[in-house]
Amino acid sequence: MIEIKHLSKTFQMKDGAVNALKDINLTIPDGSIYGIIGMSGAGKSTLVRCINLLERPTEGSVVIDGTAMETLNAAQLRERRRDITMIFQQFNLLMQRSCLKNICFPMELAGVKKADAEKRARELLEVVGLPDKANAYPAPLSGGGKQRLSLPPPLGGGVPGNGPKVLLCDEATSALDPNTTHAILTLIKDINKKLGITVVVITHQMSVVEEICDHVAILDGGVVVEEAPCRRSSRTPKTPAARRLVAPNGGSAARDLSSFAPDDHVVRVTFNGSSTAKPLVASLAAEKGILVSVLSADTRDLSGQCYGSMLLKLPTDVEQAKQAAAYSRPTRHYGRGGDRRMSIADYGFAIWETFYVTVLSTAFALVLGLPLGVLLVAGDKDGILPLPGWLMHILNIVINILRSVPFLILMICVFPLTRAIVGTTVGTKATIVPLVVAAFPFVARLVETSLRELDEGVVEAAQSMGATPFQIITKVMIPECLPGLISSMTTALTTILGYSAMSGVIGGGGLGKIALSYGYYRYQTDIMIVCVILLVLMVQVFQTLGTAWATRSDKRLRK
């Protein structure tokens, strides 16, 4: 049983405090499907996140099976969350894992043997109707397929007595078409019956509540204004908030697509998480010169992504209508070898030295920069491993200082460090130390940028499964951001390649030394040109290989 007692949640904002929830009291019986419904901003998602303490209540208590959640320490909470799992609105699938591996993920966290986890995962794929997608990746799946796939991972073991006891569904069907919504709701209801799991459904759609819920609580302005069995609430709403949800258009139903004839050229466009930065109708007019009419629309913006649908009336011209409908879907070496005293072997050795210094420096920079970049994200006050603010401030200052010092000046500044590590400040090996010192802050920022692009919902999903910070970093953040990290490392590699050429000023060797010593100082322009072209070719090779590797590792691009 879930008991929510006098729960309140206040967010401190720049312009003052915002009371998201006010004195919430609810009792959710074991094995029931309990709906929490309200308009946008009513506090639904905040309430459901307070149940598993993804948000900590400002006041009050959440008691599940006699345990007050707010009294648990971090380790106990992670363990408890394995019994209180969550399905998110935006699927929050691990796009770099196959469908089978997505379902295995929470079982990995729980220490289940690989063979047992895969066996159970295949059984769950059968349950959700995706038995043929075990080795496929989530990206090519339809919205309904992704939502189906998002159900098994939170279920973990998924067997009576061994799986979760509570399933929290936060707007799990709001981005789906009616047919898919019905299929997902039927599946949730079936899971509730077969496994005896208590289900809490967060939604703004009364139709969802009517289809599967036993009881419903209606939120308005952070307050429970009505609580009743589902049928009574939908048939005889008592409060204005309930009446708005039951009849949002004052009782007039929205027009259905089937009410139009084929030659009316009316289409329904469904938005399933597309960016709001590019407005569809305006872009269609500006880019294609095609004007369409919006007959009805029900869309909303969630974190910069658009969900919902709209009815569009396309032009009567068949060709223009087709265009509008389609738019709505979403070497050889240069020269003679330079100086005649420079042989092909000399250039070959210089290329090897440049390659050796660049790759080795990048490897050391990655060893230092990757953990630092992870720390910059995880150590935020809202991160998974928050560090003291003064420490984060110092780290950022040090990184910014190192990044802002020109490389030639930095080389001179780190001469003592170079001499202490290598024994000399001249030569090929001596260039590695300043290259690493210059590059690792750059790598750290690139890693930070890549990790910050990860959807926070994916991290929250892992937290809701009881993952430790180390597991989140190694099994979610880095694997999910791997294509971006590879692209970032490619950028770092090509940047270090440019720095290595400058290291020729201290006799660092490689193409930089040849260009400087044999080209610039001796006024032999052809040698400089050949070295520059060879450096450009090396950049192209590194970039091509890095892009190919990043593309190959991005499972979202696989069909």
Side-chain angles (χ1 to χ4, degrees):
M1 180 180 292
I2 302 174
E3 297 175 274
I4 301 174
K5 301 178 179 180
H6 303 289
L7 187 144
S8 298
K9 177 65 181 179
T10 302
F11 293 99
Q12 297 297 330
M13 312 297 285
K14 289 183 179 179
D15 12 346
V18 176
N19 297 317
L21 298 172
K22 307 167 191 174
D23 195 30
I24 303 294
N25 290 279
L26 292 174
T27 299
I28 301 174
D30 285 341
S32 65
I33 302 180
Y34 196 98
I36 298 175
I37 187 170
M39 304 297 286
S40 295
K44 309 182 299 297
S45 291
T46 301
L47 176 56
V48 77
R49 287 160 59 84
C50 285
I51 293 177
N52 62 359
L53 260 62
L54 286 178
E55 291 283 358
R56 285 194 171 267
T58 307
E59 296 177 4
S61 179
V62 178
V63 180
I64 300 180
D65 293 338
T67 302
M69 296 292 290
E70 66 278 1
T71 64
L72 302 177
N73 61 34
Q76 291 170 330
L77 181 59
R78 284 194 297 270
E79 186 65 29
R80 198 75 175 96
R81 279 175 175 164
R82 289 176 183 153
D83 292 331
I84 311 157
T85 191
M86 193 167 183
I87 297 173
F88 294 84
Q89 179 183 22
Q90 293 172 294
F91 315 132
N92 294 338
L93 298 168
L94 302 176
M95 305 304 282
Q96 305 305 320
R97 284 174 170 248
S98 66
C99 295
L100 186 71
K101 295 294 184 183
N102 263 274
I103 300 175
C104 288
F105 177 62
M107 290 184 270
E108 289 177 22
L109 299 180
V112 177
K113 292 181 180 178
K114 183 178 179 181
D116 294 338
E118 289 192 358
K119 179 182 178 183
R120 183 56 192 157
R122 292 185 185 278
E123 292 173 359
L124 289 172
L125 281 172
E126 290 279 354
V127 171
V128 297
L130 297 173
D132 58 331
K133 301 296 183 182
N135 297 318
Y137 288 87
L141 297 179
S142 65
K146 289 176 182 175
Q147 192 67 76
R148 283 177 176 271
L149 183 60
S150 71
L151 287 172
L155 295 178
V159 294
N162 191 35
K165 298 177 181 178
V166 178
L167 178 63
L168 308 177
C169 302
D170 186 8
E171 298 274 14
T173 61
S174 66
L176 305 177
D177 62 82
N179 289 337
T180 308
T181 294
H182 174 72
I184 295 298
L185 293 178
T186 301
L187 186 56
I188 291 174
K189 197 168 185 177
D190 189 49
I191 289 171
N192 166 258
K193 287 182 178 179
K194 288 182 178 179
L195 306 181
I197 295 175
T198 302
V199 181
V200 180
V201 177
I202 301 298
T203 183
H204 66 281
Q205 299 169 303
M206 184 57 79
S207 59
V208 171
V209 171
E210 290 173 340
E211 185 163 347
I212 66 168
C213 292
D214 306 318
H215 287 74
V216 61
I218 297 174
L219 259 64
D220 188 36
V223 177
V224 176
V225 295
E226 189 170 333
E227 183 185 7
C230 179
R231 290 185 179 181
R232 193 183 79 189
S233 181
S234 61
R235 291 178 182 176
T236 57
K238 295 180 179 179
T239 61
R243 285 191 286 272
R244 286 197 302 270
L245 290 165
V246 173
N249 298 317
S252 59
R255 300 178 74 181
D256 190 82
L257 191 61
S258 60
S259 63
F260 296 94
D263 56 0
D264 286 335
H265 293 175
V266 175
V267 297
R268 183 184 300 280
V269 179
T270 300
F271 299 94
N272 193 20
S274 57
S275 172
T276 56
K278 184 177 180 180
L280 172 64
V281 176
S283 299
L284 186 59
E287 296 179 16
K288 298 292 185 180
I290 299 174
L291 301 179
V292 299
S293 300
V294 179
L295 301 180
S296 67
D298 180 19
T299 62
R300 55 185 181 142
D301 181 2
L302 293 171
S303 302
Q305 292 183 306
C306 184
Y307 290 92
S309 64
M310 64 170 60
L311 283 181
L312 298 180
K313 182 173 177 58
L314 308 182
T316 53
D317 181 80
V318 175
E319 194 56 38
Q320 280 197 337
K322 287 181 179 179
Q323 290 183 34
Y327 186 88
S328 303
R329 312 223 194 265
T331 69
R332 44 186 297 189
H333 282 304
Y334 170 84
R336 298 167 294 176
D339 185 9
R340 291 183 182 278
R341 290 169 295 180
M342 293 288 297
S343 66
I344 298 296
D346 292 327
Y347 283 116
F349 185 71
I351 291 172
W352 162 248
E353 279 194 320
T354 302
F355 174 83
Y356 161 77
V357 169
T358 300
V359 173
L360 197 59
S361 300
T362 303
F364 282 121
L366 182 59
V367 169
L368 296 174
L370 178 60
L372 185 56
V374 171
L375 193 63
L376 290 172
V377 176
D380 269 350
K381 64 177 182 179
D382 297 323
I384 59 173
L385 202 64
L387 296 176
W390 62 267
L391 179 58
M392 296 297 294
H393 192 58
I394 290 174
L395 282 176
N396 278 285
I397 290 175
V398 171
I399 290 172
N400 290 336
I401 289 174
L402 290 174
R403 289 187 63 204
S404 62
V405 178
F407 179 65
L408 291 177
I409 297 175
L410 185 64
M411 280 196 301
I412 297 171
C413 291
V414 299
F415 271 172
L417 178 63
T418 304
R419 188 178 291 109
I421 296 175
V422 183
T424 180
T425 57
V426 179
T428 302
K429 292 182 180 179
T431 64
I432 293 175
V433 175
L435 283 172
V436 172
V437 173
F440 88 84
F442 180 58
V443 170
R445 287 298 187 202
L446 289 173
V447 171
E448 178 190 12
T449 301
S450 296
L451 294 180
R452 290 195 187 281
E453 291 177 355
L454 179 64
D455 187 350
E456 291 181 2
V458 175
V459 176
E460 287 188 346
Q463 288 176 316
S464 73
M465 297 176 196
T468 64
F470 181 75
Q471 287 175 321
I472 291 173
I473 291 169
T474 57
K475 292 181 178 291
V476 177
M477 294 175 68
I478 292 177
E480 284 298 293
C481 297
L482 186 59
L485 291 173
I486 293 172
S487 296
S488 297
M489 292 311 101
T490 303
T491 302
L493 186 68
T494 55
T495 302
I496 291 174
L497 179 61
Y499 285 165
S500 73
M502 287 190 283
S503 68
V505 76
I506 60 169
L511 292 170
K513 180 181 178 181
I514 290 178
L516 190 68
S517 301
Y518 295 91
Y520 179 76
Y521 288 150
R522 299 183 183 183
Y523 301 101
Q524 296 187 34
T525 307
D526 53 347
I527 293 180
M528 288 192 294
I529 291 175
V530 171
C531 288
V532 169
I533 291 176
L534 290 174
L535 284 168
V536 170
L537 289 174
M538 289 186 72
V539 169
Q540 291 299 317
V541 170
F542 284 145
Q543 189 65 58
T544 301
L545 293 175
T547 301
W549 186 19
T551 302
R552 184 179 179 83
S553 68
D554 194 346
K555 308 302 189 300
R556 295 170 297 180
L557 303 179
R558 297 194 181 184
K559 299 297 183 183

